[in-house]
Amino acid sequence: KRVRVERQGLLPVAGDPYLWPGEPIEDKQYVLSFVGNCYDSGRGRALNYARDHCQLYWPGPNSSFFQDAAQIYRRSWAVFHPPTFYQQPHDVTGERVDLMQGATMRHYEALCCGVPLVTTPKPDFAALGFQEGVHVFTWESIEQIPEAVARAQKAAQEGGLEYAKRLRQFILDRHTYEHRMIEAMIVMRRAGMLSE
């Protein structure tokens, strides 16, 4: 039997609390860490600046995944996430690519581990409930990175384990893939794609 697909959609990113656990509790070894790749000069500039000015720990591209990456996050006071194509123009429209990007999986992964995120502002942060100075500490120009890192580190140090638990609970309460599936089912039911 062949089924014709008339509509499709993508499931928005979320946090996976099983692959990105908040435990075991780790001693803090890093002021700031980044796990991921760097394919463009925009992100590269931000990473180099954070290494030179904020003691960024980055084990390198394709080096740490899932539980190993989560351990690096838990050993950090803050997680750094510079956007891909930071300040880079779109090759067709000329608009800055990083200003069009919304929350990515990295934003959720850091919070799953109970660690605040130092990143650029995203257009969907408010709608998703991300709070500046609580979940995220934002910067727009690379010269603002040290101040954002200092604020994130201070929040993590002063908040301790309770703060880390609140960050993780934010994901558990509203931003897991289970939440995304439930939301998708509701949308499909309303659109008449699923029967009651």
Side-chain angles (χ1 to χ4, degrees):
K1 179 180 175 182
R2 297 184 85 186
V3 177
R4 186 172 155 217
V5 176
E6 294 188 18
R7 291 185 243 176
Q8 67 178 356
L10 299 175
L11 194 62
V13 295
D16 185 331
Y18 302 102
L19 291 177
W20 299 90
E23 294 181 340
I25 305 303
E26 306 278 355
D27 290 333
K28 302 297 185 188
Q29 297 177 8
Y30 314 116
V31 171
L32 187 66
S33 66
F34 171 77
V35 173
N37 296 314
C38 181
Y39 301 116
D40 66 276
S41 61
R43 177 178 268 183
R45 272 194 337 276
L47 287 171
N48 286 333
Y49 190 89
R51 272 201 259 194
D52 292 344
H53 297 89
C54 304
Q55 302 173 48
L56 173 68
Y57 172 71
W58 178 35
N62 297 316
S63 59
S64 299
F65 301 94
F66 303 117
Q67 284 87 354
D68 291 337
Q71 183 179 53
I72 291 170
Y73 284 174
R74 291 191 309 269
R75 289 179 176 176
S76 306
W77 289 111
V79 169
F80 188 52
H81 190 260
T84 304
F85 306 117
Y86 172 66
Q87 292 187 333
Q88 301 294 303
H90 188 278
D91 57 357
V92 174
T93 67
E95 296 177 74
R96 274 183 48 188
V97 175
D98 60 308
L99 297 180
M100 297 183 271
Q101 300 168 348
T104 71
M105 61 186 180
R106 296 287 184 229
H107 299 105
Y108 299 103
E109 291 164 358
L111 298 176
C112 274
C113 295
V115 183
L117 189 70
V118 176
T119 190
T120 54
K122 300 295 175 199
D124 53 354
F125 273 173
L128 293 168
F130 285 83
Q131 295 177 21
E132 168 65 40
V134 177
H135 308 107
V136 294
F137 295 80
T138 59
W139 53 276
E140 294 188 37
S141 68
I142 60 173
E143 295 80 16
Q144 296 170 332
I145 294 171
E147 191 270 333
V149 170
R151 290 187 302 117
Q153 182 177 7
K154 182 178 182 204
Q157 288 173 331
E158 291 178 355
L161 290 178
E162 287 306 309
Y163 175 68
K165 288 178 186 175
R166 282 197 324 270
L167 293 179
R168 182 170 170 80
Q169 197 63 47
F170 172 69
I171 301 300
L172 296 177
D173 287 347
R174 61 197 290 185
H175 292 300
T176 65
Y177 282 102
E178 181 179 0
H179 291 105
R180 299 296 187 259
M181 287 299 298
I182 291 168
E183 291 167 11
M185 295 294 190
I186 291 168
V187 169
M188 288 190 290
R189 193 166 282 123
R190 285 184 185 149
M193 299 171 72
L194 297 175
S195 59
E196 292 292 328

